[in-house]
Amino acid sequence: MKVIKFYLVLVFGLISQVWASDFTKLTVMGSIPNAKPMAMDGWRLGGGLGYAFYVGDQMDYTLTRHYGDFNELRTNLTLSAFHQLDELKEWGLVMKFGSFQTLKSSNMQGIQCNYQEIQSVWQRSLNDNIGLNGGPVTVNFQYGIGIMYYKSKYFAVNPNFKTEDYVISSVGYGYANRTDWKGAAFTDIAKKKLTFLGNLGLNIGFRMGRNMSLYYETSLQVSTSNKLSGNLSKTSAIPPDCYLYTGLSFYYRFGKAGGRLGCPKF
């Protein structure tokens, strides 16, 4: 909860700084009859749901669904705030909360990662329509950097009951000095870890009404860690652990209809 509170304070702090900057630009222009504060103009705020899929050297390239207690379609929550810079570009903050899981070795072993992250994301419209004022659809290339706070585990699966049997290695579950029935030591990192990550992807935005829009996103999140899988026996950092995110988000855009940035009236 402390990390989530930190993320929220950071998000609203950065947004408030941009709002303050916008309001300052208006006030230094002098007294303008009938002008209204426009600190929110150019912002779109929203949230959505999606799926995250592990990408790395622990994957088996098979999507497992409804195998006992296991289902790799795990719902993730996304919260976003984007500010339009011009007709081509946007900048924003994106927060994701969720998990990804995959089974491997003929469903005899599995990995799971639970995470919270925040990223600074830039978007570039490929059809010069970032604000959806030139048409009902925008196609955007996105890229960003951020941090992830996570815990992960690598576990054995009971094939008879299709449940988790025991944890082979873990990060962030508080385990320490564990041994199996033969006295062999397990490998664990007791505390959760932070890692840097970046993303590359595409999203398509659809104008749904006066100020409402729907965005579909597919992006690859690349971490600087090799421990998102929870398998601590792997020693190579190349390739790093990644995950593929795909999801839908709804947004409300402040300002004039169609995403046009408002201008003071003289």
Side-chain angles (χ1 to χ4, degrees), residues 22 43 64 95 119 123-124 165 187 197 207-208 253:
D22 288 347
W43 282 95
T64 302
M95 301 171 64
Q119 292 196 49
Q123 303 214 36
R124 170 64 160 83
D165 195 358
T187 303
L197 76 165
R207 191 170 67 223
M208 306 297 291
R253 184 181 295 274

Side-chain angles (χ1 to χ4, degrees), residues 140-242:
N140 304 328
F141 171 70
Q142 71 175 56
Y143 55 97
I145 56 173
I147 55 174
M148 172 193 283
Y149 188 57
Y150 71 93
K151 66 177 182 179
S152 58
K153 62 181 177 181
Y154 173 45
F155 55 87
V157 175
N158 185 314
N160 297 319
F161 299 101
K162 298 179 181 178
T163 58
E164 183 179 311
D165 195 358
Y166 62 92
V167 176
I168 301 171
S169 60
S170 69
V171 175
Y173 282 84
Y175 298 140
N177 304 317
R178 293 186 306 134
T179 59
D180 63 16
W181 64 278
K182 294 182 179 180
F186 290 109
T187 303
D188 299 293
I189 298 174
K191 295 183 178 180
K192 295 182 179 181
K193 294 185 71 67
L194 280 171
T195 183
F196 293 100
L197 76 165
N199 86 69
L200 290 173
L202 291 172
N203 63 76
I204 304 175
F206 304 90
R207 191 170 67 223
M208 306 297 291
R210 176 180 173 84
N211 294 93
M212 300 298 296
S213 56
L214 172 68
Y215 282 74
Y216 170 72
E217 173 192 344
T218 298
S219 59
L220 181 66
Q221 325 297 314
V222 182
S223 79
T224 57
S225 173
N226 66 343
K227 298 179 175 61
L228 299 189
S229 67
N231 185 355
L232 302 185
S233 64
K234 57 178 287 190
T235 57
S236 175
I238 301 175
D241 286 332
C242 314

Side-chain angles (χ1 to χ4, degrees), residues 48-147:
L49 301 174
Y51 296 125
F53 303 98
Y54 172 78
V55 177
D57 60 4
Q58 301 297 298
M59 62 191 295
D60 65 353
Y61 304 96
T62 300
L63 180 63
T64 302
R65 299 184 61 189
H66 308 302
Y67 181 80
D69 291 343
F70 306 105
N71 187 354
E72 294 182 19
L73 293 179
R74 306 169 71 85
T75 303
N76 290 245
L77 171 66
T78 298
L79 300 174
S80 307
F82 281 94
H83 184 247
Q84 184 176 340
L85 303 177
D86 52 39
E87 287 300 317
L88 299 179
K89 299 184 292 295
E90 283 184 330
W91 169 84
L93 290 171
V94 178
M95 301 171 64
K96 288 188 172 73
F97 307 88
S99 65
F100 50 83
Q101 181 185 85
T102 187
L103 299 185
K104 51 177 285 186
S105 303
S106 300
N107 292 343
M108 297 297 292
Q109 298 174 345
I111 66 172
Q112 181 173 314
C113 178
N114 296 63
Y115 67 90
Q116 303 90 42
E117 71 177 52
I118 183 170
Q119 292 196 49
S120 179
V121 178
W122 290 264
Q123 303 214 36
R124 170 64 160 83
S125 176
L126 300 181
N127 61 335
D128 299 342
N129 190 31
I130 197 72
L132 289 170
N133 59 297
V137 178
T138 181
V139 180
N140 304 328
F141 171 70
Q142 71 175 56
Y143 55 97
I145 56 173
I147 55 174

